[in-house]
Every structure is written in structure tokens, then in C-alpha cells.
Amino acid sequence: MLDAGFDDLKKLHEELAQMVADTAARRAPYRTGKTQKSIRAAGSKTAGRVRAGWNRPGYKHIPAIHFGWATRPDAAKGWRGGPIHPNPFL
């Protein structure tokens, strides 16, 4: 009897997560477009989730963009430039 309402929750969670994903895609920095294309939404019976990036080359930089990276530069590792400041788009 309760199972009938859970499918509605899954759809609702997915719709709400998609709203967050759309906003995050607009706020994400644009250089190549990979960050915006990797933002996706999913819904389940208990939660809505928004994710960005994949564990593939070309997408591993997304956490550093969102959370920042204070350890740069490190000439010993060949890293150039300054630290990456956080840009919380999600």
C-alpha cells in the first residue's frame, strides 16, 4: 500500500535535483564546456543527487575547481601558477 507513493517521491526527487543541476551548470566556469556537460541529476525514493565530473582524463579537475587547491605552486612537482581559489558552483 505504501509502495504506490514511493514512485512519486522518486520522480519528485529527480525533478528537484534537475533544478539544482541546471543552476549549477549556469554557474560553473566555462572554458571547454566539459564541466557543464558533466553535471547530472538523479533521483531515488529517498534522495535527489547532483554530481559533476567522471573518473576519466579531462574531468578529474572538477573537484579542484569547486573546492579549490591551496597547495599550488610546487616547483618540485612541475606545477606552475598560483593556488586555485574555490569556485563553489554546485
Side-chain angles (χ1 to χ4, degrees):
M1 187 155 67
L2 291 175
D3 290 335
F6 285 129
D7 289 332
D8 294 337
L9 282 178
K10 181 178 178 181
K11 186 176 181 180
L12 175 66
H13 288 154
E14 186 173 1
E15 289 174 4
L16 293 173
Q18 189 60 51
M19 289 170 50
V20 172
D22 292 341
T23 302
R26 286 193 304 270
R27 295 179 59 199
Y30 184 85
R31 190 168 181 185
T32 63
K34 286 184 176 183
T35 303
Q36 288 88 353
K37 291 176 187 174
S38 74
I39 297 173
R40 59 210 182 274
S44 68
K45 293 177 183 179
T46 59
R49 293 193 170 100
V50 180
R51 297 179 180 167
W54 286 287
N55 192 14
R56 295 190 292 203
Y59 293 94
K60 294 183 179 185
H61 67 284
I62 294 175
I65 292 172
H66 188 272
F67 296 108
W69 191 359
T71 60
R72 292 187 72 172
D74 187 351
K77 294 183 179 179
W79 297 342
R80 297 178 297 159
I84 300 172
H85 300 287
N87 185 358
F89 58 89
L90 190 58

